[in-house]
Amino acid sequence: MSSVIASSVEEHHPGPQTQERGQRAVFCGLTSIIWLHRRIQDAFFLVVGSRTCAHLIQSAAGVMIFAEPRFATAILSERDLAGMADCHEELDRVVGELISRRGGINRLFLVGSCPSEVIKLDLETAAAKLQVKHENRVRISAFSGSGIETTFTQGEDQCLKSTVAELPSLASGEQNLIVLGTVSDIVEDQFRRLFDDLGIGNVSFYPGRKAGDLPAVGKGTRVIAAQPFVGETARALIDRGADLISAPFPLGAEGSKSWFEAVASVYDVPQERVQQILELPYQRAKRALAPHRAKLEGKRVHFLPDSQLEIPMARFLSEECGLEVSEIGTPFHDQLIMQGELARLAKDVSIVEGQDLDPALARVRESRPDLTVCGMGIANALESEGLRTKWSIELVFSPVQGFDQAGDLAALFAKPLVRQDILEVGSWS
Amino acid sequence: MELTLWTYEGPPHVGAIRVAASMRDVHLMLHSPQGDTYADLLFTMIERDGKRPPVTYTTFQARDLGSSTAEMVLHSLREAAERFKPQVLMVADSCTAELIQDQPGALALGANLPVPVISLEMAAYTRKENWGAAETFYQLVRGLLSRQAPPPGSERPSRAADVRPSVNLLGPTKLGFRCRDDVVEIERLLMSMGVDVNVVAPLGASPRDLQLIPKADANVNLCPEVSDLTCSWLARTFGMPTITTIPMGWGATRDFITEVASVLGLDIDVGAVGASRLPWYSRSIDSTYLTGKRVFVFADGSHAVAAARVARDEMGFEVVGLGTYSRERARDVRAAAKEYGLEALITDNYLEVEARVQELQPEMVLGTQMERHIAKRLGIPCAVISTPAHVQDYPARYSPQMGFEGANVLFDTWVHPLIMGLEEHLLHMFRDDFEFNDSVGPSHLGSEGEGARSTGQSAGGQPDGDKTLVWAFDAEKELKKIPFFVRGKARRNTERFAEEQGLSTIEVDTLYDAKAHFSN
């Protein structure tokens, strides 16, 4: 662990302080298809749900123009609900149609939704049956992206978890490292170079760029999370013999340094070598952060729940950019995966798990933070009330991990404040 | 189960939200799972609203299903009534809530809320967004006005001589296609005819405004997808005449003026009301090359019919395909298609539309956001004329589709994606230029061009197993000399000709024989 933070047990954040229940303004897990379809280029996502599900995905992704869509919805009709049509036969037909239309897909995900779960349509069994039928052409599995079960990024967790059983077993005596959670291509490349320099070999990124990139897992496997929303997949990997490395997330100079140090220490890389290799990117990250820190220092930030990235982002902003955190809302607080973060969070920071939208907004209005990190259903409304916002989804859609993205990450938060200073049109207050 | 790559409409409750978000002083309580709040983004991001839509969602989760989700409904209703104090509270199910059958409407009626409640049945598994909007608007208007209704059979009093004639503009909503500016344009047009606008609804109206609807002399059914049901109820119940011409395009705007004048009994010279630049732009010689450009039109019912008329009668295009996803308007579209000698395509299946475009190989597609995907795949220029649309079709600038200014906008929008005349001529003459060639888009679009063009593919897409039609090497090479925007049609015609002649190989001469054969 980094020596930057002096950590005694009492100073550790105790974990969630309050839980809130009520109206939740968050995405369902289906939304994770928006980035997963780009990360895993030869995969296709077939949602089994209603027109609402289809509408959700196209409202989010349909602004891009697709010559070849990589996701679709099998819309349940009245006949399916009334039991007049056998859902499994119907699914069989739809999947057949899809596979014949799209030759290039190697992996088909059947994605469960609220309607399919409420009527208890067993997609896992369906996937297993369809797998037998299409054995030579495409791998098929199922996961839930429903709103009743999953919030936003949890969809990725479910997606990854659905393929854990397929991972080959690691030969005994071998070692490997799995970096868990989608990172952008450039971040993957940077991380690989640093692992190489540290002499850490046999590293797999999960999910990989192709559906067939499945890492082996077993006794010698170490897992480190690159994203905070992969808790269930991490547990599934632990069940298959892997060890989870606890670390803060690789956000900012300090976060990235600690993350690599945590891996290096597990691999017994000599301290001096670690410091020598990380020094250059660490100093570069610090330099990149400095101008943004100047704009952000002393400002107050408030997080509304969205992606589970809130706690690490709040840590980054307070530790590395000098912001004061007025509240961290998170949709779900996974203590296992968040261990490394809590150790570095000021213990008096208020963490709220869950949401009751209107009272939560009342707290924002009451405290009038300099920056509110929130979803796009809320952002423009707060802007028109004179509050600056950073729409949170961008944090999932941008390369933000690692040393060389530290400056970009800070810039994402600084930009709304800079914009406020630049614009002469209208008034924000 | 129906395989859907893209859906033309959202679920019906999104239609209900559109009506609620368009109005003032109403609130909608939607029984729905966590995640359905994505619909807020349609308004805050696509419409760029500076406030949240007036909707409270119950957002139940899996753990709530074990206990009483009905309790959540009651809690949300009371909170919404208390916090937002609307004039009317509407209550509806989303698709998942429809399955668990908590009957939120009935719960609301029994909950002694301090506000009038209108309960909506949304039928999520059979109906869609526009139906949802139409039903919501109708239930609201009926709920608010039925007590004012005169006894059946009573005569509608005629307008007093000293009262200016007035109409209601019914149908415009948030997330409608250019409704914001269409309302302004049509209000301006009516104003210049000496006609007042009494109520615009749902857009901008409050429940109290809706109660004033019967004061007008007639209703303009501006967006029939939303307002048809309401207009016919008002006609039946209050004897209010409906003005049905959609004033989109130069000719239709003139027809609209004529219809308004005749319904209101006004003496108006159509030519004096206003003018558009479209007629002159379209007659000027620069537009001659537009003659006979083959266009495919697919949109909601009213925009499809209106666009086809503009395309043929005002732009000089040839309409080679016409269709709609609005089943409610299928009859109108079929009738219109007949006029163009076409069979209307009535479908909400994106793949069917794609197949038809591929088969017809038009030179331009006038469609929705979904047709842009098809046009990109096939390398065909495309302009958006209807919802579903995305954020770029909710522009900052004044961009009506209706009225005389709307006709100006249509002219510019539709000509823009086409290759300009000189470039088209030069591409016909010189094939191998390093800068101007098939593989780059029209040069006036800069990098906007869609890149590789594939219009030269066999019309059927996949080669048909039974057919043994082969293109000789020279013929294939000759075909490539035809510019991409007409190559698809040439290939299709040649193949059809060869089949009719019972040929198995297409030679260079076959290509030219076919050209001569179809030259009329």
mmCIF file of all heavy atoms in Angstrom, chain B residues 331-356:
data_model
loop_
_atom_site.group_PDB
_atom_site.id
_atom_site.type_symbol
_atom_site.label_atom_id
_atom_site.label_comp_id
_atom_site.label_asym_id
_atom_site.label_seq_id
_atom_site.Cartn_x
_atom_site.Cartn_y
_atom_site.Cartn_z
ATOM 1 N N ARG B 331 -54.831 3.408 -43.508
ATOM 2 C CA ARG B 331 -55.794 3.650 -44.594
ATOM 3 C C ARG B 331 -55.413 4.872 -45.424
ATOM 4 O O ARG B 331 -55.404 4.843 -46.643
ATOM 5 C CB ARG B 331 -57.194 3.818 -44.011
ATOM 6 C CG ARG B 331 -58.262 3.350 -44.964
ATOM 7 C CD ARG B 331 -59.549 3.115 -44.266
ATOM 8 N NE ARG B 331 -59.797 4.218 -43.323
ATOM 9 C CZ ARG B 331 -60.972 4.441 -42.746
ATOM 10 N NH1 ARG B 331 -61.995 3.676 -43.018
ATOM 11 N NH2 ARG B 331 -61.140 5.427 -41.906
ATOM 12 N N ASP B 332 -55.056 5.960 -44.725
ATOM 13 C CA ASP B 332 -54.633 7.182 -45.428
ATOM 14 C C ASP B 332 -53.416 6.916 -46.309
ATOM 15 O O ASP B 332 -53.326 7.396 -47.436
ATOM 16 C CB ASP B 332 -54.192 8.273 -44.428
ATOM 17 C CG ASP B 332 -55.346 8.734 -43.574
ATOM 18 O OD1 ASP B 332 -56.475 8.238 -43.800
ATOM 19 O OD2 ASP B 332 -55.114 9.579 -42.688
ATOM 20 N N VAL B 333 -52.470 6.179 -45.753
ATOM 21 C CA VAL B 333 -51.220 5.967 -46.481
ATOM 22 C C VAL B 333 -51.472 5.061 -47.693
ATOM 23 O O VAL B 333 -50.928 5.288 -48.767
ATOM 24 C CB VAL B 333 -50.130 5.392 -45.547
ATOM 25 C CG1 VAL B 333 -48.847 5.115 -46.313
ATOM 26 C CG2 VAL B 333 -49.861 6.359 -44.392
ATOM 27 N N ARG B 334 -52.328 4.055 -47.513
ATOM 28 C CA ARG B 334 -52.655 3.189 -48.649
ATOM 29 C C ARG B 334 -53.306 3.998 -49.769
ATOM 30 O O ARG B 334 -52.972 3.843 -50.942
ATOM 31 C CB ARG B 334 -53.609 2.068 -48.214
ATOM 32 C CG ARG B 334 -52.906 0.964 -47.487
ATOM 33 C CD ARG B 334 -53.649 -0.374 -47.590
ATOM 34 N NE ARG B 334 -52.955 -1.343 -46.753
ATOM 35 C CZ ARG B 334 -53.269 -1.579 -45.478
ATOM 36 N NH1 ARG B 334 -54.294 -0.957 -44.919
ATOM 37 N NH2 ARG B 334 -52.576 -2.451 -44.769
ATOM 38 N N ALA B 335 -54.217 4.867 -49.364
ATOM 39 C CA ALA B 335 -54.916 5.682 -50.373
ATOM 40 C C ALA B 335 -53.925 6.579 -51.109
ATOM 41 O O ALA B 335 -53.962 6.702 -52.340
ATOM 42 C CB ALA B 335 -56.000 6.522 -49.702
ATOM 43 N N ALA B 336 -53.001 7.170 -50.330
ATOM 44 C CA ALA B 336 -52.007 8.045 -50.962
ATOM 45 C C ALA B 336 -51.122 7.240 -51.906
ATOM 46 O O ALA B 336 -50.844 7.665 -53.030
ATOM 47 C CB ALA B 336 -51.162 8.738 -49.894
ATOM 48 N N ALA B 337 -50.689 6.070 -51.445
ATOM 49 C CA ALA B 337 -49.789 5.250 -52.260
ATOM 50 C C ALA B 337 -50.438 4.904 -53.594
ATOM 51 O O ALA B 337 -49.794 4.897 -54.644
ATOM 52 C CB ALA B 337 -49.399 3.984 -51.502
ATOM 53 N N LYS B 338 -51.703 4.631 -53.532
ATOM 54 C CA LYS B 338 -52.439 4.278 -54.738
ATOM 55 C C LYS B 338 -52.308 5.378 -55.793
ATOM 56 O O LYS B 338 -52.129 5.114 -56.977
ATOM 57 C CB LYS B 338 -53.921 4.065 -54.386
ATOM 58 C CG LYS B 338 -54.588 3.015 -55.245
ATOM 59 C CD LYS B 338 -55.935 2.687 -54.661
ATOM 60 C CE LYS B 338 -56.375 1.301 -55.065
ATOM 61 N NZ LYS B 338 -57.651 0.950 -54.431
ATOM 62 N N GLU B 339 -52.388 6.618 -55.325
ATOM 63 C CA GLU B 339 -52.255 7.762 -56.232
ATOM 64 C C GLU B 339 -50.926 7.775 -56.966
ATOM 65 O O GLU B 339 -50.805 8.325 -58.045
ATOM 66 C CB GLU B 339 -52.317 9.048 -55.415
ATOM 67 C CG GLU B 339 -53.646 9.738 -55.455
ATOM 68 C CD GLU B 339 -53.529 11.041 -54.698
ATOM 69 O OE1 GLU B 339 -52.702 11.901 -55.098
ATOM 70 O OE2 GLU B 339 -54.252 11.186 -53.686
ATOM 71 N N TYR B 340 -49.886 7.212 -56.295
ATOM 72 C CA TYR B 340 -48.565 7.190 -56.919
ATOM 73 C C TYR B 340 -48.324 5.865 -57.643
ATOM 74 O O TYR B 340 -47.208 5.584 -58.064
ATOM 75 C CB TYR B 340 -47.471 7.413 -55.859
ATOM 76 C CG TYR B 340 -47.612 8.731 -55.135
ATOM 77 C CD1 TYR B 340 -48.352 8.824 -53.958
ATOM 78 C CD2 TYR B 340 -47.031 9.895 -55.644
ATOM 79 C CE1 TYR B 340 -48.504 10.030 -53.305
ATOM 80 C CE2 TYR B 340 -47.183 11.108 -54.992
ATOM 81 C CZ TYR B 340 -47.920 11.179 -53.824
ATOM 82 O OH TYR B 340 -48.079 12.375 -53.184
ATOM 83 N N GLY B 341 -49.373 5.058 -57.734
ATOM 84 C CA GLY B 341 -49.240 3.767 -58.384
ATOM 85 C C GLY B 341 -48.396 2.796 -57.576
ATOM 86 O O GLY B 341 -47.698 1.943 -58.109
ATOM 87 N N LEU B 342 -48.463 2.926 -56.255
ATOM 88 C CA LEU B 342 -47.616 2.090 -55.393
ATOM 89 C C LEU B 342 -48.466 1.272 -54.426
ATOM 90 O O LEU B 342 -49.606 1.610 -54.144
ATOM 91 C CB LEU B 342 -46.673 2.969 -54.562
ATOM 92 C CG LEU B 342 -45.714 3.883 -55.314
ATOM 93 C CD1 LEU B 342 -45.066 4.855 -54.331
ATOM 94 C CD2 LEU B 342 -44.656 3.056 -56.023
ATOM 95 N N GLU B 343 -47.838 0.221 -53.929
ATOM 96 C CA GLU B 343 -48.430 -0.556 -52.843
ATOM 97 C C GLU B 343 -47.790 -0.043 -51.561
ATOM 98 O O GLU B 343 -46.573 -0.080 -51.411
ATOM 99 C CB GLU B 343 -48.075 -2.029 -53.053
ATOM 100 C CG GLU B 343 -48.587 -2.974 -52.004
ATOM 101 C CD GLU B 343 -50.021 -3.414 -52.291
ATOM 102 O OE1 GLU B 343 -50.380 -3.539 -53.480
ATOM 103 O OE2 GLU B 343 -50.757 -3.607 -51.316
ATOM 104 N N ALA B 344 -48.592 0.474 -50.615
ATOM 105 C CA ALA B 344 -48.005 1.043 -49.391
ATOM 106 C C ALA B 344 -47.364 -0.050 -48.556
ATOM 107 O O ALA B 344 -47.841 -1.182 -48.508
ATOM 108 C CB ALA B 344 -49.082 1.755 -48.577
ATOM 109 N N LEU B 345 -46.259 0.297 -47.905
ATOM 110 C CA LEU B 345 -45.610 -0.625 -46.985
ATOM 111 C C LEU B 345 -46.044 -0.258 -45.572
ATOM 112 O O LEU B 345 -45.654 0.783 -45.051
ATOM 113 C CB LEU B 345 -44.085 -0.517 -47.119
ATOM 114 C CG LEU B 345 -43.256 -1.366 -46.171
ATOM 115 C CD1 LEU B 345 -43.473 -2.847 -46.423
ATOM 116 C CD2 LEU B 345 -41.776 -1.021 -46.287
ATOM 117 N N ILE B 346 -46.897 -1.089 -44.978
ATOM 118 C CA ILE B 346 -47.361 -0.806 -43.619
ATOM 119 C C ILE B 346 -46.685 -1.807 -42.697
ATOM 120 O O ILE B 346 -47.049 -2.982 -42.671
ATOM 121 C CB ILE B 346 -48.896 -0.951 -43.491
ATOM 122 C CG1 ILE B 346 -49.613 -0.232 -44.632
ATOM 123 C CG2 ILE B 346 -49.371 -0.479 -42.122
ATOM 124 C CD1 ILE B 346 -49.537 1.259 -44.623
ATOM 125 N N THR B 347 -45.696 -1.345 -41.974
ATOM 126 C CA THR B 347 -44.979 -2.271 -41.092
ATOM 127 C C THR B 347 -44.259 -1.503 -40.005
ATOM 128 O O THR B 347 -43.902 -0.338 -40.189
ATOM 129 C CB THR B 347 -43.949 -3.106 -41.884
ATOM 130 O OG1 THR B 347 -43.322 -4.029 -40.988
ATOM 131 C CG2 THR B 347 -42.863 -2.230 -42.491
ATOM 132 N N ASP B 348 -44.061 -2.175 -38.861
ATOM 133 C CA ASP B 348 -43.175 -1.583 -37.866
ATOM 134 C C ASP B 348 -41.929 -2.453 -37.727
ATOM 135 O O ASP B 348 -41.204 -2.359 -36.757
ATOM 136 C CB ASP B 348 -43.886 -1.412 -36.519
ATOM 137 C CG ASP B 348 -44.464 -2.706 -36.012
ATOM 138 O OD1 ASP B 348 -44.256 -3.753 -36.663
ATOM 139 O OD2 ASP B 348 -45.128 -2.688 -34.959
ATOM 140 N N ASN B 349 -41.718 -3.288 -38.734
ATOM 141 C CA ASN B 349 -40.555 -4.154 -38.727
ATOM 142 C C ASN B 349 -39.436 -3.524 -39.559
ATOM 143 O O ASN B 349 -39.509 -3.451 -40.784
ATOM 144 C CB ASN B 349 -40.951 -5.533 -39.281
ATOM 145 C CG ASN B 349 -39.806 -6.507 -39.219
ATOM 146 O OD1 ASN B 349 -38.637 -6.121 -39.145
ATOM 147 N ND2 ASN B 349 -40.136 -7.789 -39.256
ATOM 148 N N TYR B 350 -38.418 -3.105 -38.848
ATOM 149 C CA TYR B 350 -37.278 -2.430 -39.470
ATOM 150 C C TYR B 350 -36.672 -3.264 -40.608
ATOM 151 O O TYR B 350 -36.282 -2.728 -41.650
ATOM 152 C CB TYR B 350 -36.262 -2.161 -38.369
ATOM 153 C CG TYR B 350 -34.890 -1.750 -38.818
ATOM 154 C CD1 TYR B 350 -34.625 -0.433 -39.151
ATOM 155 C CD2 TYR B 350 -33.853 -2.671 -38.880
ATOM 156 C CE1 TYR B 350 -33.361 -0.052 -39.545
ATOM 157 C CE2 TYR B 350 -32.585 -2.299 -39.271
ATOM 158 C CZ TYR B 350 -32.345 -0.985 -39.609
ATOM 159 O OH TYR B 350 -31.092 -0.607 -39.995
ATOM 160 N N LEU B 351 -36.618 -4.577 -40.414
ATOM 161 C CA LEU B 351 -35.978 -5.432 -41.418
ATOM 162 C C LEU B 351 -36.776 -5.450 -42.718
ATOM 163 O O LEU B 351 -36.217 -5.547 -43.801
ATOM 164 C CB LEU B 351 -35.817 -6.855 -40.876
ATOM 165 C CG LEU B 351 -34.861 -6.976 -39.684
ATOM 166 C CD1 LEU B 351 -34.879 -8.373 -39.106
ATOM 167 C CD2 LEU B 351 -33.453 -6.573 -40.093
ATOM 168 N N GLU B 352 -38.101 -5.337 -42.598
ATOM 169 C CA GLU B 352 -38.934 -5.284 -43.809
ATOM 170 C C GLU B 352 -38.674 -3.988 -44.578
ATOM 171 O O GLU B 352 -38.648 -3.978 -45.810
ATOM 172 C CB GLU B 352 -40.418 -5.344 -43.448
ATOM 173 C CG GLU B 352 -40.969 -6.747 -43.400
ATOM 174 C CD GLU B 352 -42.466 -6.717 -43.075
ATOM 175 O OE1 GLU B 352 -43.218 -5.992 -43.746
ATOM 176 O OE2 GLU B 352 -42.850 -7.413 -42.109
ATOM 177 N N VAL B 353 -38.515 -2.905 -43.829
ATOM 178 C CA VAL B 353 -38.252 -1.621 -44.483
ATOM 179 C C VAL B 353 -36.901 -1.697 -45.190
ATOM 180 O O VAL B 353 -36.748 -1.291 -46.340
ATOM 181 C CB VAL B 353 -38.265 -0.466 -43.460
ATOM 182 C CG1 VAL B 353 -38.001 0.867 -44.145
ATOM 183 C CG2 VAL B 353 -39.590 -0.428 -42.721
ATOM 184 N N GLU B 354 -35.927 -2.261 -44.482
ATOM 185 C CA GLU B 354 -34.601 -2.392 -45.062
ATOM 186 C C GLU B 354 -34.644 -3.214 -46.359
ATOM 187 O O GLU B 354 -34.051 -2.845 -47.373
ATOM 188 C CB GLU B 354 -33.658 -3.058 -44.053
ATOM 189 C CG GLU B 354 -32.230 -3.123 -44.514
ATOM 190 C CD GLU B 354 -31.336 -3.794 -43.477
ATOM 191 O OE1 GLU B 354 -31.469 -5.020 -43.269
ATOM 192 O OE2 GLU B 354 -30.528 -3.101 -42.869
ATOM 193 N N ALA B 355 -35.382 -4.312 -46.318
ATOM 194 C CA ALA B 355 -35.482 -5.174 -47.504
ATOM 195 C C ALA B 355 -36.111 -4.415 -48.667
ATOM 196 O O ALA B 355 -35.672 -4.524 -49.813
ATOM 197 C CB ALA B 355 -36.285 -6.427 -47.175
ATOM 198 N N ARG B 356 -37.134 -3.607 -48.366
ATOM 199 C CA ARG B 356 -37.806 -2.875 -49.436
ATOM 200 C C ARG B 356 -36.887 -1.819 -50.046
ATOM 201 O O ARG B 356 -36.834 -1.655 -51.269
ATOM 202 C CB ARG B 356 -39.099 -2.232 -48.893
ATOM 203 C CG ARG B 356 -39.951 -1.531 -49.939
ATOM 204 C CD ARG B 356 -40.565 -2.480 -50.966
ATOM 205 N NE ARG B 356 -41.588 -3.331 -50.408
ATOM 206 C CZ ARG B 356 -42.893 -3.044 -50.389
ATOM 207 N NH1 ARG B 356 -43.326 -1.932 -50.906
ATOM 208 N NH2 ARG B 356 -43.751 -3.890 -49.856
#
